[in-house]
Amino acid sequence: MKKSLTLLLLLATLSATGAEVKIKIAHRYLNFPVSHQTDRRAMRISMDGQEQCRFVVRLTAGEPDYWVFQDVSEYRGKTLALSFDGPEEALSKVYQADTFPGEDTLYDEAYRPQYHFTTRRGWINDPNGLVYDRTRGEYHLFYQHNPFEREWENMHWGHAVSTDLLHWQELPDALHPDTIGTIFSGSAWMDYDNAAGFNIPQRKDKRGRIISPERVAMIAYYTADHPRYQRQCMAYSLDGGRTFTKYDGNPVIDSHERWQSHDTRDPKIFKYADGQYVLVLNERDGHTIYNSSDLKTWTPMSHLTGFWECPELFQTPQGPWVLWGASGTYMLGDFDGTTFTPTTPKQMNLNGSAYAAQCFNQLPTGNSQQSTAKPQQPASVKMAWGRISFPDMPFNGCMLLPQTQEVRQTDQGPRLYSYPIAATEQLFTKVVDRSDISQQEANDLLRPFNGNDVLRIRATIHLTYATDASLRYRGQRLFDYDLNGNRLQGEFYYPPTPKGQQSTAKGQQPTAVSPLEITLDLYIDRAIVEGYVDGGAFSYSFQRDVKSPSTEGYIFTGNQLQLRRLEVFTAKSIWKE
């Protein structure tokens, strides 16, 4: 891309430690050329002698692999100083403009997913701060973000908003590293009760008319990661998460000495009852439950071992509470506000690429985590990080589809089911719907979709003579079930039989009740494969080989499979109107 838009007026000086430039900001973005052949070097951005942010970047003076950017709109008209511990020649390639290189092809890149969230540039991992703000009608997705390259480093909180959990608008990063540490995972809460005292009350004129409405604080809890320790901090926003003020009393929890461990991270906040807030924190060998009445002072109440990273604790609409860690193992149990008591052994909810799932706080119809009362509790909705890479792209990682969480009673005991939220149906248009067909007939119906890598396939498969079944594409098994070994995608699986009549969400197939019959709801989105089996009893995701030399189309394999039903859907892009 030509830099004729408006290059920086750079006053460059080379110091003993590297280069420095001063920039008067007149445009939206600072653009940085990045090459993975170049080592990371430190960059510091200051204004009037005060450091604004620091990060490491693979800045290159040569041909970049791609460009990254930083939104500097808030500094328009002001002068920033960029100090770089590297060659002046590389720093001189940085320029400002109202666009960034590649913006003209954004969301049309070869391997860009079309109905899963990915960031415009850089690396993403854990979802953070999932919350609904009723004052603006917005869902917030914060996430671990390295905006300066497609590999892990420089942890910020990226930020996107949505009105339907499907179509996302990416905003500038919300939280940046500071002297306490880089910004690791956490959660967010809308403080409608003003428990922390950050809210700005509404203003009225002499006639009692509202001049300005109350500004409710969104409070973010996050781990500040330092080489010597991890501590828990908070920040608050009064403008819908667009900007945050870090609490001057940080850290609010410093437990590394008590645990004699560096591993104290990933706070998850929710309200249990009036005046009683709960924060679940992973500490050394498990999850610790804290209580607070003011959202600032936290007291440890109990600890449960056996979980690692990214804790989640929530009550389902069916009553049981769920506790899990980042890997997807969970327990059902009871919770009294201070102690979680398991009622089931550990079970698995996530399989494959999914990691660090978190549920949304304060959903619009009320929140099952806000009260011990249970009338008309809404479904719990989670999102998880998909550990999926996109070859040759300037971005890495994705968010999997938002999923409803539901406890169902089965012959194997209560189980947590996960399946895409009902609103997902609006993204898909059914183009094939056939019942009671042979394996060959199914493959003939799938032949026209060879080459389509943005698709949804739903099927009920009957293994009349077969002991295994799979669906392949480009030589790769997108679905693989072995009846003899009870293996599904390589994991042990025996279909649970629901007790009584189970409600089925719109667009979801009934749950199979026999190992000879299995239902599959498969989502293909470029490099992402995401599958839901038997109504959500088993879910999985993995990375598709988008560079496979195979020309094989979508085909079912097995010994004389019968398909009770086959449906194929084309998909709309969430990035385009």
Side-chain angles (χ1 to χ4, degrees):
M1 176 179 179
K2 295 182 179 179
K3 305 182 186 68
S4 58
L5 295 173
T6 296
L7 295 182
L8 295 179
L9 299 176
L10 299 178
L11 303 175
T13 60
L14 187 62
S15 69
T17 58
E20 181 175 294
V21 297
K22 291 184 178 179
I23 311 163
K24 186 171 183 180
I25 300 300
H27 298 279
R28 181 175 181 180
Y29 298 114
L30 285 181
N31 291 308
F32 302 85
V34 169
S35 170
H36 285 263
Q37 305 304 309
T38 303
D39 291 337
R40 294 177 177 131
R41 300 289 185 91
M43 174 83 75
R44 293 168 297 281
I45 299 180
S46 304
M47 184 179 69
D48 297 331
Q50 298 295 314
E51 184 176 292
Q52 303 298 301
C53 62
R54 64 169 56 203
F55 51 90
V56 293
V57 61
R58 299 181 186 273
L59 204 62
T60 181
E63 185 66 24
D65 293 329
Y66 51 90
W67 290 77
V68 297
F69 60 86
Q70 184 171 25
D71 192 319
V72 289
S73 302
E74 62 182 299
Y75 300 106
R76 190 179 293 267
K78 300 174 182 178
T79 298
L80 297 180
L82 278 64
S83 300
F84 179 56
D85 292 341
E88 178 186 6
E89 294 79 10
L91 187 57
S92 69
K93 299 292 185 179
V94 177
Y95 75 100
Q96 64 172 318
D98 288 322
T99 60
F100 56 86
E103 187 173 16
D104 54 339
T105 58
L106 188 63
Y107 304 124
D108 285 324
E109 302 97 328
Y111 303 130
R112 174 75 70 174
Q114 293 300 294
Y115 55 88
H116 288 80
F117 177 81
T118 49
T119 188
R120 291 172 292 179
R121 291 291 183 270
W123 162 281
I124 63 174
N125 54 287
D126 308 351
N128 297 155
L130 304 186
V131 69
Y132 180 77
D133 177 0
R134 71 182 187 220
T135 67
R136 290 172 175 254
E138 289 179 334
Y139 297 93
H140 290 264
L141 164 63
F142 299 93
Y143 50 90
Q144 292 286 278
H145 187 210
N146 179 6
F148 299 108
E149 66 170 271
R150 62 188 178 214
E151 301 301 331
W152 185 94
E153 250 297 350
N154 298 312
M155 285 297 96
H156 296 59
W157 269 27
H159 188 198
V161 293
S162 173
T163 58
D164 63 3
L165 290 173
L166 300 173
H167 300 83
W168 295 97
Q169 177 192 359
E170 187 174 349
L171 301 175
D173 285 345
L175 290 171
H176 302 259
D178 57 26
T179 56
I180 299 179
T182 53
I183 312 299
F184 273 24
S185 288
S187 55
W189 185 257
M190 294 298 300
D191 188 13
Y192 299 116
D193 297 331
N194 199 24
F198 297 133
N199 293 5
I200 297 177
Q202 67 176 209
R203 292 175 54 222
K204 297 182 179 180
D205 62 18
K206 293 180 180 180
R207 296 183 180 180
R209 294 174 299 188
I210 296 175
I211 300 173
S212 59
E214 179 186 20
R215 295 170 67 184
V216 177
M218 176 189 293
I219 302 179
Y221 292 88
Y222 62 92
T223 298
D225 180 66
H226 186 277
R228 295 199 304 271
Y229 39 68
Q230 293 178 330
R231 299 182 293 183
Q232 315 318 310
C233 296
M234 64 188 292
Y236 63 94
S237 172
L238 295 169
D239 60 1
R242 273 62 175 179
T243 61
F244 278 88
T245 300
K246 291 176 180 174
Y247 178 48
D248 58 12
N250 282 337
V252 294
I253 299 176
D254 186 354
S255 59
H256 73 282
E257 288 189 0
R258 181 165 68 92
W259 285 98
Q260 291 295 296
S261 174
H262 182 270
D263 298 316
T264 57
R265 59 178 172 270
D266 309 334
K268 177 63 198 289
I269 174 75
F270 65 92
K271 181 180 177 181
Y272 179 75
D274 287 344
Q276 184 180 4
Y277 296 90
V278 174
L279 185 147
V280 191
L281 185 65
N282 186 255
E283 295 182 313
R284 195 172 67 188
D285 60 357
H287 293 345
T288 302
I289 292 170
Y290 286 78
N291 275 189
S292 175
S293 60
D294 65 1
L295 294 171
K296 298 174 182 176
T297 305
W298 295 93
T299 303
M301 307 303 292
S302 62
H303 183 80
L304 186 68
T305 61
F307 291 97
W308 176 249
E309 293 191 322
C310 302
E312 178 62 272
L313 175 60
F314 65 98
Q315 188 178 21
T316 62
Q318 296 75 36
W321 286 78
V322 181
L323 180 70
W324 70 47
S327 66
T329 58
Y330 72 93
M331 289 179 175
L332 301 179
D334 299 319
F335 182 60
D336 63 3
T338 62
T339 304
F340 177 83
T341 304
T343 56
T344 68
K346 266 191 178 182
Q347 302 174 78
M348 178 61 76
N349 182 247
L350 299 177
N351 299 275
S353 76
Y355 196 77
Q358 184 177 114
C359 288
F360 277 86
N361 275 334
Q362 299 166 287
L363 291 175
T365 55
N367 183 12
S368 62
Q369 298 168 341
Q370 286 185 287
S371 171
T372 55
K374 295 190 282 289
Q376 294 188 322
Q377 291 179 3
S380 300
V381 175
K382 79 176 181 192
M383 289 186 77
W385 167 37
R387 294 173 288 184
I388 291 173
S389 298
F390 304 91
D392 306 325
M393 296 290 100
F395 57 91
N396 197 346
C398 68
M399 294 298 156
L400 299 176
L401 293 173
Q403 301 165 33
T404 296
Q405 306 298 284
E406 180 180 309
V407 173
R408 297 181 187 174
Q409 299 298 323
T410 76
D411 62 336
Q412 300 171 26
R415 292 289 182 270
L416 186 64
Y417 281 61
S418 300
Y419 50 87
I421 61 172
T424 307
E425 292 297 314
Q426 68 185 267
L427 299 176
F428 300 99
T429 301
K430 188 183 295 186
V431 291
V432 170
D433 189 353
R434 291 284 301 277
S435 298
D436 296 320
I437 58 176
S438 69
Q439 178 177 326
Q440 184 58 54
E441 288 173 313
N443 291 340
D444 290 341
L445 289 168
L446 290 173
R447 188 171 295 115
F449 302 99
N450 186 6
N452 188 335
D453 61 357
V454 180
L455 204 63
R456 178 185 177 191
I457 298 173
R458 199 161 62 187
T460 301
I461 305 165
H462 187 71
L463 288 76
T464 308
Y465 302 102
T467 58
D468 63 86
S470 68
L471 174 62
R472 297 206 316 250
Y473 182 63
R474 295 292 190 258
Q476 187 175 13
R477 295 190 178 202
L478 309 185
F479 164 76
D480 188 23
Y481 178 53
D482 174 16
L483 175 62
N484 282 339
N486 291 108
R487 307 301 266 182
L488 178 58
Q489 301 304 118
E491 302 288 339
F492 179 81
Y493 177 72
Y494 189 85
T497 302
K499 289 185 176 181
Q501 183 66 34
Q502 296 292 336
S503 62
T504 301
K506 180 181 178 181
Q508 299 296 319
Q509 289 189 313
T511 304
V513 296
S514 165
L516 291 176
E517 195 161 285
I518 194 165
T519 67
L520 169 66
D521 198 357
L522 192 69
Y523 298 79
I524 303 104
D525 192 6
R526 304 295 195 224
I528 304 169
V529 176
E530 190 170 355
Y532 299 85
V533 175
D534 292 342
F538 186 99
S539 61
Y540 66 93
S541 59
F542 65 90
Q543 180 172 325
R544 190 176 72 81
D545 182 5
V546 294
K547 291 199 168 185
S548 169
S550 172
T551 59
E552 179 184 65
Y554 294 98
I555 61 168
F556 286 99
T557 63
N559 183 18
Q560 299 183 44
L561 298 178
Q562 296 292 314
L563 279 86
R564 298 299 192 204
R565 191 174 183 184
L566 173 66
E567 299 165 278
V568 181
F569 304 78
T570 56
K572 300 173 185 176
S573 173
I574 63 173
W575 309 117
K576 303 169 185 176
E577 294 296 333

